[in-house]
Amino acid sequence: MASNGASPRVVDAAENSLDKIKRQLASSSGRNLLQGPLFKRSETLRKWNERWVILDPTTGKMEYKTRRNEPTIKGTILFDENSTITISPVNFQGLPKYNGCCIYVSTPQKKDYFLCAETPGAARAWVTTLHATQLVLKAHKEAVDSLSGNGSSTLGTVATVVAAVNSTALECSKEIQAAMQVSLRNALNISAMKPINGPLDDLTIMKVG
């Protein structure tokens, strides 16, 4: 009787082949990272911290730093193709200006993330790109299954969805940049009345805007 699953050697070879393709796609000059400031709620104290978040939509890697120019990565936001990613109807940040700005991420591993963008448009941009990234992760998984003989998807499908998510990230980056400009104008107006200690960087803008 034929086995329903491929041998470990075949699966390993398929995953190695896919990893190679993923590296080639990720290193291409057309890759568009989505990055910008987000508030992230801590898991223990439930305190909101400003973070500079970087999403590589071609691989699904989402990392964050304490500041934009900080060289050290502070942590990773883990999600997969089955995660629930949505704009929350509840403003769990609390301040009225963040209505429609809160993002909820829930994973099959029972890991929850609570994020908050500066504007509703920026929140939609993050969620849209994350949804497109989930299609990439799904295509990656289906390509592994195909290479191991258990699926019909091809690596060409991966390339197609990667091209699509790059385009999505590029467009959504414009929305996030626009939100940062709004925050900058608000911060500069407030700064005329309120002294700010230290340089005015992207995360200070979020705090005083």
Side-chain angles (χ1 to χ4, degrees):
M1 180 179 294
S3 173
N4 291 329
S7 69
R9 181 176 297 178
V10 172
V11 172
D12 289 343
E15 291 180 343
N16 288 337
S17 297
L18 184 60
D19 285 341
K20 182 178 180 180
I21 295 296
K22 287 170 66 175
R23 287 194 298 271
Q24 291 173 346
L25 291 171
S27 64
S28 66
S29 58
R31 182 179 58 157
N32 294 311
L33 298 177
L34 187 70
Q35 54 184 319
L38 285 174
F39 285 109
K40 178 181 177 293
R41 197 174 78 177
S42 66
E43 299 177 23
T44 52
L45 301 178
R46 297 199 172 188
K47 175 185 177 183
W48 289 94
N49 299 304
E50 303 92 356
R51 297 290 180 248
W52 185 262
V53 181
I54 306 164
L55 170 65
D56 184 346
T58 64
T59 63
K61 179 180 288 187
M62 191 175 187
E63 300 174 320
Y64 58 90
K65 305 185 290 186
T66 54
R67 290 289 185 271
R68 182 177 191 173
N69 296 324
E70 175 68 34
T72 304
I73 297 296
K74 184 174 180 62
T76 301
I77 297 173
L78 302 173
F79 68 97
D80 60 21
E81 69 275 11
N82 296 315
S83 298
T84 298
I85 301 173
T86 184
I87 294 177
S88 173
V90 177
N91 179 356
F92 39 71
Q93 204 281 340
L95 295 178
K97 74 172 185 174
Y98 292 117
N99 289 337
C101 299
C102 295
I103 302 168
Y104 173 65
V105 179
S106 177
T107 72
Q109 293 75 31
K110 308 299 183 183
K111 181 79 171 180
D112 295 332
Y113 298 96
F114 298 89
L115 308 170
C116 187
E118 184 65 12
T119 67
R124 289 192 298 269
W126 279 105
V127 170
T128 296
T129 306
L130 285 166
H131 285 167
T133 303
Q134 286 182 295
L135 294 179
V136 173
L137 296 177
K138 181 180 179 181
H140 283 164
K141 184 177 183 300
E142 290 178 348
V144 169
D145 292 340
S146 179
L147 287 171
S148 60
N150 294 323
S152 59
S153 183
T154 67
L155 291 178
T157 304
V158 178
T160 299
V161 293
V162 165
V165 77
N166 268 324
S167 177
T168 298
L170 181 62
E171 289 302 311
C172 288
S173 291
K174 298 175 183 177
E175 184 65 48
I176 291 175
Q177 289 296 322
M180 290 173 62
Q181 289 298 319
V182 170
S183 298
L184 176 60
R185 288 193 295 270
N186 292 338
L188 291 177
N189 288 337
I190 290 179
S191 67
M193 300 176 288
K194 178 181 177 181
I196 299 176
N197 297 323
L200 188 67
D201 62 14
D202 298 312
L203 299 180
T204 305
I205 288 171
M206 292 185 72
K207 185 179 297 183
V208 303

